[in-house]
Amino acid sequence: MTVTVRFAPSPTGRIHIGNARTALFNWLFALNNKGRFIQRFDDTDISRSTQEFADSILYDLHWLGIFPDVTEYQSRRVEIYDAAVERLKAARVLYACYETPEELDLRRKVRRTRGLPPVYGREALTLTPEQVAEYQSDGRKPHWRFLLPNYTSDPLQPERTEIHWNDLVRGEETVDLASLSDPVLLREDGTYLYTLPSVVDDIDMGVTHVIRGDDHVTNTGVQIALFQALEAVPPVFGHHNLLTTASGEGLSKRTGALSIESLRENGIEPMAVASLAVLVGTSENVATMPDLAELAGHFDPAATSKSAAKFDPDELFVLNRTLIHNMPYSEARDRLIVLGVSGDKAEPFWLAVRGNLDRLADAVQWWRVLGEGPQEPPELSGEDRDFLREAFDLLPEEPWNGTVWKDWTGKIREATGRKGKALFMPLRLALTGQPSGPELADLLPLLGREGTLARRP
Ligand code: GLU
């Protein structure tokens, strides 16, 4: 059977680096197993889901290098869920409940004071036909719960019932169905909660592996029971640890913190995001990988830790610098052209400046310095000015070879007696306007004799 995975966010916000971890775990798993990747939007909550968010999520995935084989929307598949509901009703494992949220809340409190677990007590199963008729005549609409298979003959007497699975990440896992409330699958207004559509889709779409955050471990117990109620074989499950900031704070789509969009806008490279998102909280070292294929070689779900994957967002900047400093021109080329950096000098320029950049777009500032001269005239003492005039008069004639910088500064040293910082700093200021930057030996040939002389103070 073809390995088939899915990434299933609800399109209710922009995805963040923690969501990217889930998407990438699935993508890399598919890559390593020659599998298929389904992009599935869990958009049954139509009040909070939007097409704009779905589009932005696809955009972010493409930016990361993830190209789904197919994209599905749950909101377009409601008939399939309705058919599953009919099957569950026929099997008598879906039952109507009429409690209001306030009534449920009160019951939970009562159970707690009695030392009972705050799970739903299945009171709806004890309603008489008259009570049901009364609710209906009052205009109350039912919500529907799935009867968990945690009893022998009387659902009002639940017993410890273990669901087991061998988790791709966590190994042997167990959930006791008696510790859980029967989940609501359908709301009063006829809309679906996440639980059932997800299982129906996983069956219908032939999903073989469900890889998601460990906040879903308990859901998996319930969902395996649902797979069985629908007479399907459950897929393999894998629950990875969640990313948190160094202070242990979780990430939320709602706050927009560390969204893929904001990282992109801050000039962070996709592979810096992907390398960190995948490798942090695993037994692998966090290091930049040049592409997803190489990252896939370092990806093993079983090497993921069970505790939260803490990271410092500043690590992204460190990884980003490493990527930029080693980025070949062929990779930067198209993006540089968009920024106006093109022509014969673009490649040597890139190789000269990349080691000084935090972000690729910062190359533009150096391109401008080379093309137009220092943005502001450098502040020079009278003494340095005299030194520079003498130095510029010693500039070798063209054609230049690869040693022009060495030849020139050698002559300057000889003529003026200056050396070290006293020699190089005024030259750097005159040529670039900046006290630090790329190697002048690399910049000088790009300026050429004419461009260099234009900077003579
Ligand atoms: N929509 C769910 C979420 O975003 C999907 C969980 C799953 O992968 O099943 O948490």
Side-chain angles (χ1 to χ4, degrees), residues 96-217:
C97 304
Y98 291 87
E99 294 92 345
T100 63
E102 294 73 30
E103 285 164 353
L104 288 172
D105 204 36
L106 190 66
R107 274 211 209 122
R108 260 193 304 270
K109 279 184 190 136
V110 171
R111 286 184 75 95
R112 247 194 228 113
T113 49
R114 288 194 192 145
L116 296 167
V119 295
Y120 179 61
R122 291 178 167 158
E123 289 81 357
L125 291 177
T126 64
L127 291 175
T128 61
E130 292 74 31
Q131 286 171 307
V132 171
E134 205 179 311
Y135 280 135
Q136 285 172 345
S137 68
D138 284 354
R140 276 209 203 183
K141 290 248 158 54
H143 53 274
W144 296 81
R145 287 188 191 260
F146 172 50
L147 185 63
L148 289 171
N150 56 8
Y151 58 93
T152 309
S153 55
D154 179 4
L156 299 178
Q157 303 286 327
E159 298 156 12
R160 183 169 179 89
T161 309
E162 292 184 351
I163 294 276
H164 298 276
W165 72 93
N166 188 2
D167 197 283
L168 273 180
V169 174
R170 302 164 63 87
E172 282 305 322
E173 277 290 340
T174 304
V175 167
D176 171 19
L177 293 184
S179 68
L180 305 174
S181 293
D182 287 340
V184 176
L185 302 189
L186 264 170
R187 298 189 184 89
E188 292 78 28
D189 63 2
T191 58
Y192 285 95
L193 281 108
Y194 146 79
T195 311
L196 178 69
S198 180
V199 169
V200 171
D201 282 347
D202 289 341
I203 298 169
D204 194 56
M205 297 173 187
V207 170
T208 59
H209 294 76
V210 169
I211 302 172
R212 57 187 177 185
D214 60 16
D215 49 339
H216 285 286
V217 168

Side-chain angles (χ1 to χ4, degrees), residues 365-384:
Q365 289 156 26
W366 289 108
W367 187 251
R368 239 180 252 143
V369 166
L370 285 181
E372 300 162 14
Q375 301 299 291
E376 281 180 31
E379 276 183 35
L380 297 165
S381 67
E383 215 178 307
D384 280 347

Side-chain angles (χ1 to χ4, degrees), residues 390-401:
E390 191 178 348
F392 274 74
D393 289 342
L394 296 167
L395 187 66
E397 293 293 336
E398 280 173 334
W400 287 351
N401 58 24

Side-chain angles (χ1 to χ4, degrees), residues 229-399:
L230 292 167
E231 296 170 314
V233 180
V236 176
F237 286 90
H239 296 88
H240 65 73
N241 52 358
L242 300 183
L243 288 192
T244 70
T245 60
S247 57
E249 236 175 285
L251 308 176
S252 156
K253 270 209 245 106
R254 239 165 287 177
T255 62
L258 290 161
S259 71
I260 300 304
E261 178 189 38
S262 69
L263 297 174
R264 178 170 56 242
E265 282 172 357
N266 276 311
I268 305 292
E269 296 294 313
M271 278 314 299
V273 177
S275 302
L276 182 90
V278 170
L279 298 176
V280 72
T282 73
S283 55
E284 286 278 332
N285 283 336
V286 177
T288 46
M289 299 290 143
D291 52 43
L292 291 180
E294 186 135 350
L295 185 56
H298 290 257
F299 169 69
D300 171 11
T304 310
S305 145
K306 283 200 199 182
S307 45
K310 283 193 182 179
F311 80 107
D312 174 356
D314 284 345
E315 266 181 76
L316 280 170
F317 291 95
V318 176
L319 296 175
N320 205 50
R321 272 195 287 273
T322 311
L323 271 174
I324 304 257
H325 295 183
N326 296 300
M327 188 180 286
Y329 175 65
S330 54
E331 210 182 307
R333 185 176 164 273
D334 290 351
R335 289 163 65 193
L336 291 172
I337 290 174
V338 173
L339 295 169
V341 179
S342 60
D344 291 352
K345 288 185 176 167
E347 181 165 7
F349 165 78
W350 173 250
L351 298 177
V353 301
R354 64 180 181 177
N356 278 81
L357 304 178
D358 290 338
R359 302 175 301 187
L360 182 135
D362 294 346
V364 173
Q365 289 156 26
W366 289 108
W367 187 251
R368 239 180 252 143
V369 166
L370 285 181
E372 300 162 14
Q375 301 299 291
E376 281 180 31
E379 276 183 35
L380 297 165
S381 67
E383 215 178 307
D384 280 347
R385 208 172 286 273
D386 292 341
F387 158 75
L388 284 167
R389 289 198 180 121
E390 191 178 348
F392 274 74
D393 289 342
L394 296 167
L395 187 66
E397 293 293 336
E398 280 173 334

